[in-house]
Amino acid sequence: MMRLDDNDDDVSLFDAEEDTGRGKSKKTKIKHPVASFFHLFFRMSAILVYLLCELLSSSFIACMVTIILFLSADFWTVKNITGRLMVGLRWWNQVDDDGKSHWVFESRKGNSKQLVSDSESRIFWLGLVVCPIIWVFFVFSTLFSFRIKWLAVVIMGVVLQGANLYGYVRCKVGSRTNLKNMATNYFGRQFLKQTMTNQEES
């Protein structure tokens, strides 16, 4: 039996919009350049090896192992290091003494949120969202081109990078809201802004 444990101090997925009116400007410089580099390095390397594997090597096994190693290194790095340093979020699974599995999602609380750099936050979320979409595209291209031997590799890319995406979105959403409500509120605000803009123009 699994239970979801969420932090009580939720933060929004759309920091750029909601922080503009707070009066406190966050630093935009990259404070963790090494973490930012490796946040993108492993996942982009896995994608490049997949795209160029036939040019780099004639061995399917060598390419597959290389891609899986990059994906595994990316999963561990993003889950345990870059999420905590770049955006102040972390998630993990733990088993208690009764043998029950708990999923824990945490975000940085209080004034410590101000330590997050806008530049690092954009790099983190851009890499976290775009790369799983690319692997989903690879799944469909593999099916349509009948490259069935690569199907297991691209599915592993979707699963590993999708797991990190889901975990960190849960950290951002927290326990008081869910993904559906968050998306509804966001698009509702966009619709209201567009309506008010049209009224002003008319």
Side-chain angles (χ1 to χ4, degrees), residues 9-10 13 19 24 129 165:
D9 191 15
D10 301 337
L13 186 60
D19 287 346
K24 292 184 179 180
V129 172
L165 175 61

Side-chain angles (χ1 to χ4, degrees), residues 156-175:
M156 182 169 291
V158 173
V159 170
L160 290 178
Q161 297 196 352
N164 263 330
L165 175 61
Y166 174 78
Y168 282 113
V169 169
R170 283 298 307 270
C171 291
K172 294 287 281 184
V173 173
S175 59

Side-chain angles (χ1 to χ4, degrees), residues 174-192:
S175 59
R176 291 197 295 268
T177 58
N178 54 41
L179 286 175
K180 182 177 180 180
N181 291 337
M182 181 195 66
T184 302
N185 293 335
Y186 174 72
F187 288 113
R189 290 197 304 269
Q190 296 301 315
F191 177 77
L192 182 60

Side-chain angles (χ1 to χ4, degrees), residues 113-130:
K113 290 179 184 178
Q114 298 175 4
L115 300 175
V116 176
S117 165
D118 285 340
S119 298
E120 287 184 346
S121 180
R122 291 189 186 98
I123 292 172
F124 180 85
W125 288 109
L126 183 65
L128 199 70
V129 172
V130 171

Side-chain angles (χ1 to χ4, degrees), residues 35 38-40 42-43 70-95 101-107 124 127-128 159-169 171:
F38 282 104
H39 177 71
L40 298 176
F42 290 124
R43 54 185 49 214
F70 277 130
L71 289 173
S72 301
D74 169 73
F75 178 82
W76 186 88
T77 302
V78 174
K79 179 179 179 295
N80 296 300
I81 299 176
T82 62
R84 179 173 54 86
L85 292 179
M86 296 175 69
V87 291
L89 303 173
R90 64 177 180 171
W91 65 275
W92 71 93
N93 178 268
Q94 64 184 21
V95 180
S101 179
H102 301 267
W103 290 97
V104 183
F105 305 92
E106 287 188 349
S107 64
F124 180 85
L128 199 70
V159 170
L160 290 178
Q161 297 196 352
N164 263 330
L165 175 61
Y166 174 78
Y168 282 113
V169 169
C171 291

